[in-house]
Amino acid sequence: MSLARIYSRAQVGIQAPEVIVEVHLGNGLPAFHIVGLPEASVKEAKDRVRSALENSKFGFPDQRITVNLAPADLPKEGGRFDLAIAVGILIASEQIVCTDIERYEFYGELALNGEVRGVNAILPSVLAAKAQGRCCFLPLVNDSLASLVNGVERKAVSSIQEVWSDLLNQQPLPLNISYPEQQHSGVEFLIDLSDVKGQPGAKRVLEIAAAGGHNLLFLGPPGTGKSMLAQRMPTIMPGMSDDEALSTAALYSIIGQSVDLTNWRKRPFRNPHHTCSAVALVGGSSNPKPGEISLAHNGVLFLDELPEFERKVLDSLREPMETGTVTISRAARQMEFPAQFQLIAALNPSPTGCHNDKRATPDQVMRYLSRVSGPFIDRIDLQIELPRLSSAQLQSTQEEQSSATVRTRVEAAYNLQLRRQGKVNARLNNKEMSVHCALAAPELQFLAKASEKLSLSPRSYHRVIKVARTISDLKGQDNISFDELKEALNYRAFERLLSQLTQY
C-alpha cells in the first residue's frame, strides 16, 4: 500500500476542523513534500518526522513522499500534524498494517528522538472527535486535560513506538486513563464575602447581579471596598455546568494557558490593567487569539479605574456585552470567540477621589466621567454608590454573611430562572420579557412615569424590568411588584450623579 489517509484536526479559533493527512509514496528521486497550505512550522515537520522515525528504528522510505493536508484552502500551522504524518508514512510503507485506521485521530508534535510532545487547543479537537465517534491518539501531557470530556475514547502516547505497538496489537495502550484528582467536584476559594466589612447595599447588589447575570458598576471614593467586593463575585455565583466549564477550559487551551484540573469548575475572574489595548481586551492580532473578554467567558471581567481606560477600548465592549460573542475579522480569516462574561466596573466619582471634597470643580468632574461613553454605561444594569466606612464599621466585630450563605440564595433564584425560561434574566430578549416579565397595569404606569422623570433610554427601561424580575426571583415571587421596581430604579447611581453635576 503506497497511499494512506490519516485523520487529524487543525485549530481555527474555538473550532477544530477535520484535516485529512494523505501520504503517498511514489516513484522518482527521493524527496519529501508537504502541500495543503502549510505554514512554516508545518513545512518543518518533514525534518522532525524523518529524524523521529530514524531514531525510533523505523525505516524511512527512500521514495518520493508527498503529504497532502486536506482541505487545501484551510491554513495549517504548528506541529500538531507531526504524529499523523509519521503514522501515515508507516502505513503507506506497510510498516504498520491497520484495517480500521479511519476510526482514529492523531495529534502531537514529534521530538527528534521519537517522543510525542504536547500541543495547544487539545479540548476543541477532542470535542470534535467525540462528535465523530473517533478514538484520539494524543500526547500524554495533554491527556489529563482531555479527560475532562466525558464519553470520548482516547489513548495517551509518549512516543511513536507506542503508537506502532498499539496499532499492531502487540502492546495495546490503556484506554481512557482516569485521573482521581479531577473527581473532586467542589470549588474552593481562598477569599470570602465575609472578609468585607459593612457595605450592605453593595453586597445586596452583588447578590442580585450574581443571581440574574447582570452587569454591575461600583461608584465610590478610594478604600470603600470596590475591588474587594468584585473579587468575591465568583464565590457567590452559581456553579458552572459541564458544558460551561468545558467551553471556558477550551479557550484557555487555545492560548496554551494551564487549567487547574483540581478546581477547573471555578468561574474565571479577569482583571486587566487600564493600560491594556483593544486587541488585548477583545482579541485579535494577525493570527486571531481570544482576548480578556473571552478568557472571562462564563465568569467575571473586572475593570477597575474605569475612566482610565481609553474610550475606544471601552466602546469595543459594547457589542460583545449584547451578543455574548466577539467576531474578529482579518484579511485572511474571520474567527468568532464566545464572550458571555459578567462585567463589574469600578470608578472614583472624581479625579481627586470624591466628587464632594471641593478639590475639583463640577466641570472637572464632568470631564473625568465623560471619558466613559453614555452607550457603555447604558449597558450596565446595576449602578450603586459606596459610602465611606466609618471607624465604628471598620472596627466592628459583627459577623458578616459568608459567601456560602449568599450563594445558597443565588442558586435558588438561578435554578428558578433556568426552569422558567432556560436562561438568566439578563439574557432575555424583548419577546421573552413580554412572557416572563409581564407587569400589571399599575406597575406599568408607575414605571412609565419613573422612566420619563429619570430620562431612561429604552435599553435602560428594559434592564430595570430585568433587575426587578431577578429581585422577585430572590424573594421567590411569581410577579413583579412595586417594591421590586422601586429597588431596581434605585440602582442608577451614575445617572443620578451626572444629573447632580449638571445642576451646578
Side-chain angles (χ1 to χ4, degrees):
M1 180 180 183
S2 61
L3 179 66
R5 287 165 52 94
I6 309 296
Y7 291 102
S8 187
R9 297 275 168 184
Q11 177 200 339
V12 182
I14 197 68
Q15 306 298 323
E18 179 183 271
V19 172
I20 302 175
V21 180
E22 299 174 319
V23 180
H24 176 248
L25 305 184
N27 298 325
L29 294 174
F32 194 166
H33 298 290
I34 298 179
V35 297
L37 207 58
E39 301 288 346
S41 57
V42 180
K43 293 179 180 178
E44 294 167 352
K46 56 187 178 183
D47 297 314
R48 292 192 297 269
V49 170
R50 178 191 292 270
S51 298
L53 291 178
E54 290 178 348
N55 290 321
S56 301
K57 310 305 180 186
F58 293 108
F60 192 81
D62 195 16
Q63 295 175 267
R64 185 179 182 86
I65 304 173
T66 303
V67 176
N68 179 39
L69 305 177
D73 58 348
L74 178 70
K76 324 295 189 307
E77 60 183 9
R80 59 191 305 112
F81 305 106
D82 290 5
L83 182 60
I85 293 172
V87 171
I89 292 174
L90 292 177
I91 289 179
S93 61
E94 298 184 348
Q95 297 180 69
I96 292 178
V97 178
C98 182
T99 57
D100 57 351
I101 195 65
E102 68 278 357
R103 290 186 53 246
Y104 304 111
E105 292 189 4
F106 299 84
Y107 336 111
E109 179 183 333
L110 289 179
L112 299 185
N113 61 356
E115 292 180 356
V116 180
R117 291 175 173 157
V119 295
N120 291 337
I122 196 65
L123 279 179
S125 298
V126 173
L127 287 167
K130 176 186 175 182
Q132 293 292 326
R134 296 197 186 109
C135 177
C136 305
F137 282 81
L138 47 85
L140 180 62
V141 295
N142 293 132
D143 190 53
S144 58
L145 182 59
S147 68
L148 300 179
V149 181
N150 293 323
V152 66
E153 292 185 349
R154 64 184 203 284
K155 294 186 177 184
V157 299
S158 57
S159 67
I160 186 68
Q161 294 99 327
E162 292 182 356
V163 179
W164 177 79
S165 299
D166 180 89
L167 293 177
L168 290 178
N169 291 320
Q170 293 188 0
Q171 191 174 351
L173 291 166
L175 186 67
N176 299 340
I177 301 174
S178 62
Y179 297 87
E181 66 272 12
Q182 297 176 19
Q183 303 304 317
H184 177 62
S185 59
V187 177
E188 298 177 356
F189 298 98
L190 300 178
I191 55 178
D192 195 271
L193 193 61
S194 60
D195 302 335
V196 184
K197 296 287 187 181
Q199 302 295 8
K203 291 179 180 178
R204 168 67 172 170
V205 170
L206 204 67
E207 181 178 341
I208 295 170
H214 303 287
N215 297 324
L216 171 60
L217 173 69
F218 287 132
L219 184 72
T224 51
K226 301 186 294 294
S227 298
M228 286 186 68
L229 286 162
Q231 291 165 1
R232 283 150 182 79
M233 177 68 157
T235 69
I236 66 171
M237 293 174 73
M240 284 199 286
S241 65
D242 286 347
D243 290 341
E244 289 176 332
L246 277 175
S247 64
T248 301
L251 284 163
Y252 281 83
S253 73
I254 287 174
I255 62 174
Q257 282 196 21
S258 61
V259 178
D260 184 0
L261 299 178
T262 62
N263 208 19
W264 68 287
R265 291 179 183 273
K266 182 178 179 180
R267 291 188 181 270
F269 180 87
R270 305 296 297 188
N271 182 17
H273 194 261
H274 63 258
T275 57
C276 77
S277 64
V279 170
L281 196 62
V282 177
S285 81
S286 56
N287 180 22
K289 298 288 185 183
E292 290 289 339
I293 62 173
S294 293
L295 298 179
H297 181 55
N298 294 318
V300 176
L301 177 70
F302 177 46
L303 302 182
D304 201 4
E305 306 296 345
L306 192 66
E308 302 298 335
F309 285 83
E310 290 188 30
R311 183 164 179 161
K312 66 177 183 179
V313 173
L314 291 180
D315 286 344
S316 66
L317 297 182
R318 284 156 52 179
E319 290 81 6
M321 288 169 67
E322 292 288 326
T323 62
T325 59
V326 56
T327 302
I328 302 170
S329 299
R330 294 293 180 266
R333 65 187 75 178
Q334 184 182 61
M335 293 188 188
E336 184 177 279
F337 296 106
Q340 195 73 65
F341 61 93
Q342 238 178 296
L343 175 70
I344 299 183
L347 59 86
N348 300 322
S350 166
T352 61
C354 186
H355 65 282
N356 54 11
D357 59 5
K358 299 182 180 180
R359 295 168 57 198
T361 65
D363 286 342
Q364 290 174 321
V365 176
M366 280 295 292
R367 281 197 298 272
Y368 177 73
L369 296 179
S370 296
R371 298 179 186 176
V372 184
S373 69
F376 179 81
I377 291 294
D378 206 34
R379 287 168 166 81
I380 299 181
D381 308 2
L382 297 160
Q383 307 159 18
I384 186 169
E385 186 169 2
L386 277 63
R388 287 189 184 275
L389 292 174
S390 64
S391 299
Q393 289 174 312
L394 288 173
Q395 297 171 1
S396 173
T397 58
Q398 179 181 352
E399 186 175 349
E400 304 284 349
Q401 281 194 342
S402 67
S403 293
T405 302
V406 178
R407 187 167 61 248
T408 301
R409 299 195 296 264
V410 167
E411 288 179 339
Y414 176 78
N415 292 329
L416 177 62
Q417 295 165 50
L418 293 186
R419 289 194 300 270
R420 182 179 63 228
Q421 64 221 16
K423 61 176 71 172
V424 292
N425 292 327
R427 300 177 193 170
L428 292 173
N429 58 37
N430 291 347
K431 184 176 181 180
E432 292 167 336
M433 284 182 61
S434 64
V435 177
H436 304 296
C437 305
L439 296 176
E443 283 79 8
L444 277 172
Q445 187 177 5
F446 167 76
L447 184 58
K449 291 180 180 179
S451 62
E452 291 294 332
K453 186 176 181 180
L454 298 175
S455 301
L456 296 181
S457 68
R459 181 183 288 114
S460 296
Y461 174 89
H462 289 118
R463 288 179 183 270
V464 167
I465 297 176
K466 293 178 187 178
V467 171
R469 175 73 269 178
T470 301
I471 297 172
S472 298
D473 292 338
L474 284 168
K475 294 179 179 179
Q477 297 177 180
D478 293 333
N479 300 316
I480 303 172
S481 67
F482 283 109
D483 291 338
E484 288 79 58
L485 285 174
K486 290 176 182 177
E487 185 177 356
L489 286 165
N490 193 46
Y491 299 134
R492 313 298 301 177
F494 192 88
E495 295 166 356
R496 284 199 303 272
L497 176 59
L498 291 181
S499 64
Q500 291 173 14
L501 293 171
T502 55
Q503 292 175 3
Y504 287 99

